[in-house]
Amino acid sequence: DQQVKQNSPSLSVQEGRISILNCDYTNSMFDYFLWYKKYPAEGPTFLISISSIKDKNEDGRFTVFLNKSAKHLSLHIVPSQPGDSAVYFCAASARAGGTSYGKLTFGQGTILTVHP
Amino acid sequence: EAGVAQSPRYKIIEKRQSVAFWCNPISGHATLYWYQQILGQGPKLLIQFQNNGVVDDSQLPKDRFSAERLKGVDSTLKIQPAKLEDSAVYLCASRRLAGPSVQYFGPGTRLTVT
């Protein structure tokens, strides 16, 4: 049961253009969403997050959009840079209640390649 | 602030052997997680500790995997005996007890079982 899905295994973008990475979820209890970036031989690094009370959160070149009715979120990177080339994971958490407080459920990841 | 430390970074063992991984979380982080990441997949939670107590080990294959966090700081994850399908990267993460669910990850240990 894949509760968080990233349906695009890879994405290739030209430097300076916009990168859009997508993520869908099925569990309506999820109320906090995160994006992580992972370089080879390193652990995932936190990038940006959004609470379900918001529909947009922005941090520099990175913006995350949340559409609760569609159970869909996306990460926009503008402008894309070659250093952004990495694997991007979306993750979801149900913050309230239960013994799995703070537990993250991850998608499969999308490999982003930004060409100079 | 020092990040999450893990060792070893790489390990190669034969099937049926045992192996142990070590993790030291960020200072002050009460919650510690162990994840297994198989190539091409996202990290999958194995076990979650809060201080030295287990909060969630529902995904831990308890017939061969064990983990402990005796003093509520560093933690070890053990596999005994290892199987070929245990080849993966084992990630440790930590977070503060309160506040947003942002977890901070270590570099991981890449395990190859031959």
Side-chain angles (χ1 to χ4, degrees):
Chain A
D1 176 25
Q2 191 82 34
Q3 297 186 63
V4 178
K5 291 184 181 180
Q6 294 175 255
N7 291 318
S8 298
S10 62
L11 176 67
S12 183
V13 171
Q14 205 67 31
E15 180 179 8
R17 306 293 289 269
I18 185 171
S19 295
I20 301 176
L21 297 100
N22 294 302
C23 180
D24 297 294
Y25 63 96
T26 57
N27 189 339
S28 57
M29 296 298 291
F30 289 147
D31 57 4
Y32 192 70
F33 304 90
L34 307 90
W35 285 93
Y36 282 83
K37 178 170 72 173
K38 186 180 184 304
Y39 292 120
E42 295 184 13
T45 303
F46 170 69
L47 197 54
I48 192 170
S49 63
I50 187 167
S51 165
S52 60
I53 62 173
K54 296 184 176 181
D55 55 16
K56 176 183 174 181
N57 189 26
E58 193 171 354
D59 183 3
R61 297 186 296 115
F62 302 91
T63 303
V64 56
F65 296 92
L66 175 62
N67 182 334
K68 290 187 292 293
S69 60
K71 292 190 174 68
H72 176 85
L73 64 153
S74 62
L75 174 69
H76 292 211
I77 306 174
V78 183
S80 301
Q81 299 173 355
D84 296 329
S85 297
V87 180
Y88 288 77
F89 292 98
C90 79
S93 171
R95 286 201 288 180
T99 58
S100 297
Y101 180 88
K103 170 184 174 180
L104 294 181
T105 301
F106 283 84
Q108 311 95 305
T110 297
I111 302 170
L112 173 66
T113 304
V114 181
H115 298 283
Chain B
E1 182 180 66
V4 177
Q6 289 188 248
S7 67
R9 292 296 312 276
Y10 304 92
K11 190 74 176 179
I12 301 174
I13 62 172
E14 295 182 352
K15 60 184 179 184
R16 291 187 289 275
Q17 287 187 323
S18 63
V19 64
F21 312 125
W22 175 82
C23 171
N24 191 34
I26 293 173
S27 177
H29 282 195
T31 309
L32 183 148
Y33 308 81
W34 283 102
Y35 289 87
Q36 179 192 59
Q37 185 182 10
I38 293 172
L39 187 64
Q41 300 180 19
K44 185 187 83 170
L45 180 69
L46 291 175
I47 189 167
Q48 175 184 348
F49 291 94
Q50 191 160 297
N51 296 310
N52 60 349
V54 175
V55 174
D56 184 353
D57 64 356
S58 58
Q59 299 298 307
L60 188 74
K62 298 181 187 65
D63 57 335
R64 297 184 301 105
F65 286 65
S66 64
E68 60 183 14
R69 193 184 184 200
L70 292 176
K71 296 182 180 178
V73 181
D74 56 350
S75 174
T76 56
L77 175 70
K78 297 178 182 178
I79 308 175
Q80 182 179 13
K83 292 185 175 181
L84 295 176
E85 58 260 37
D86 298 331
S87 294
V89 175
Y90 290 85
L91 294 161
C92 178
S94 69
R95 64 177 283 263
R96 297 186 186 280
L97 187 59
S101 300
V102 179
Q103 297 179 19
Y104 297 90
F105 285 81
T109 297
R110 178 174 294 280
L111 173 67
T112 303
V113 182
T114 63

